[in-house]
């Protein structure tokens, strides 16, 4: 039976554009006009404008007006600030999930996600790998049981996803990310969440260094 979408037209447009921005199918700096999007989606200006306002609230668009907006451009300072905040939030979520009553379910979910990452990278499907890699971190928040912590991370993780997509598209970078995720799961299986937190800090700082290196060389 065909599934009926309960999302409004504005929500559907938002979700489609968000995915294209996060994967950089619509790249940083790209201008989006309301008229252009009206033509693309075959709709009036109202749902398009509503979707763009939500994308701005997500931290993905700048300069929303009656004409349009641009996809956010992230500078070196932005990168450092994003990774610094993600380090604080991710470690808090990880330690909350690993030390909670559902720690076993959390570990099982991480292992399942890790298997998906391994399968995607083994096939050379980097976009699929990126999706599962991002979900690996999202699992921290799903299992931490702290709604406010998850809400605090929501906007910043959108911008982080743009950045990680830019450097994880390199096969070698993806292999490093996968290996560090494996290490994290092994440490959590040994029931040492404090050590896992330290590994996660290094993982996030490593990702930032990788991106900044690519930025300096013009590859990011």
């Amino acid at each position: 039976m065909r599934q009926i979408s309960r999302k409004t037209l504005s929500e559907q447009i938002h979700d489609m554009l968000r995915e294209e921005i996060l994967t950089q199918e619509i790249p940083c700096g790209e201008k989006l006009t309301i008229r252009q999007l009206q033509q693309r989606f075959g709709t009036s200006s109202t749902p398009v404008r509503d979707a763009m306002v939500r994308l701005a609230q997500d931290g993905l668009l700048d300069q929303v007006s009656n004409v349009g907006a641009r996809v956010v451009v992230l500078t070196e300072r932005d990168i450092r600030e994003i990774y610094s905040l993600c380090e604080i939030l991710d470690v808090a979520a990880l330690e909350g999930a690993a030390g909670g009553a559902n720690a076993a379910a959390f570990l099982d979910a991480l292992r399942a996600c890790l298997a998906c990452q391994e399968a995607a990278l083994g096939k050379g499907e980097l976009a699929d790998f990126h999706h599962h890699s991002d979900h690996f971190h999202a699992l921290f928040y799903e299992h931490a049981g702290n709604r406010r912590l998850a809400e605090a991370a929501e906007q910043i993780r959108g911008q982080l996803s743009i950045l990680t997509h830019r450097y994880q598209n390199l096969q070698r970078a993806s292999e490093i990310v996968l290996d560090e995720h494996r290490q994290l799961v092994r440490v959590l299986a040994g029931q040492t969440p404090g050590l896992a937190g330290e590994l996660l800090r290094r993982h996030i700082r490593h990702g930032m260094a990788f991106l900044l290196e690519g930025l300096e060389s013009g590859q990011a």
Side-chain angles (χ1 to χ4, degrees), residues 34 43 63 77:
I34 291 176
T43 185
Q63 303 173 349
R77 178 177 177 178

Side-chain angles (χ1 to χ4, degrees), residues 9-175:
L9 183 56
S10 171
E11 289 171 333
Q12 293 177 60
I13 293 171
H14 165 271
D15 291 351
M16 189 176 299
L17 291 176
R18 178 182 171 86
E19 180 65 18
E20 292 175 359
I21 292 170
L22 294 184
T23 60
Q24 288 294 273
E25 185 177 338
I26 302 177
C28 292
E30 179 97 351
K31 184 176 181 181
L32 298 177
T33 68
I34 291 176
R35 177 170 294 185
Q36 163 202 1
L37 295 175
Q38 277 184 261
Q39 292 173 347
R40 174 182 171 181
F41 294 109
T43 185
S44 67
S45 63
T46 300
V48 168
R49 187 177 290 109
D50 289 345
M52 294 176 78
V53 168
R54 283 192 61 198
L55 288 166
Q57 293 170 345
D58 293 342
L60 302 179
L61 289 184
D62 281 333
Q63 303 173 349
V64 172
S65 67
N66 288 330
V67 177
R70 283 187 193 280
V71 178
V72 65
V73 175
L74 300 171
T75 65
E76 179 179 340
R77 178 177 177 178
D78 291 323
I79 291 169
R80 293 185 183 278
E81 289 180 351
I82 289 167
Y83 274 83
S84 177
L85 182 55
C86 276
E87 179 181 329
I88 295 169
L89 296 174
D90 276 18
V91 170
L94 172 71
E95 293 182 344
N102 297 316
F106 172 53
L107 185 58
D108 287 344
L110 289 179
R111 283 173 170 152
C113 185
L114 187 61
C116 291
Q117 292 174 62
E118 291 170 338
L121 196 56
K123 296 175 184 176
E125 297 174 351
L126 296 184
D128 197 31
F129 171 81
H130 169 77
H131 169 76
H132 292 299
S133 174
D134 197 49
H135 182 60
F136 185 85
H137 287 256
L139 287 170
F140 305 165
Y141 296 91
E142 288 182 23
H143 290 263
N146 188 323
R147 178 173 53 85
R148 286 178 172 80
L149 183 62
E151 289 173 353
E154 184 67 25
Q155 177 174 329
I156 203 72
R157 290 209 62 80
Q159 294 182 344
L160 180 69
S161 187
I162 291 175
L163 297 172
T164 54
H165 188 86
R166 293 177 72 176
Y167 79 77
Q168 284 185 19
N169 276 344
L170 303 173
Q171 179 79 19
R172 178 58 183 150
S174 299
E175 290 169 356

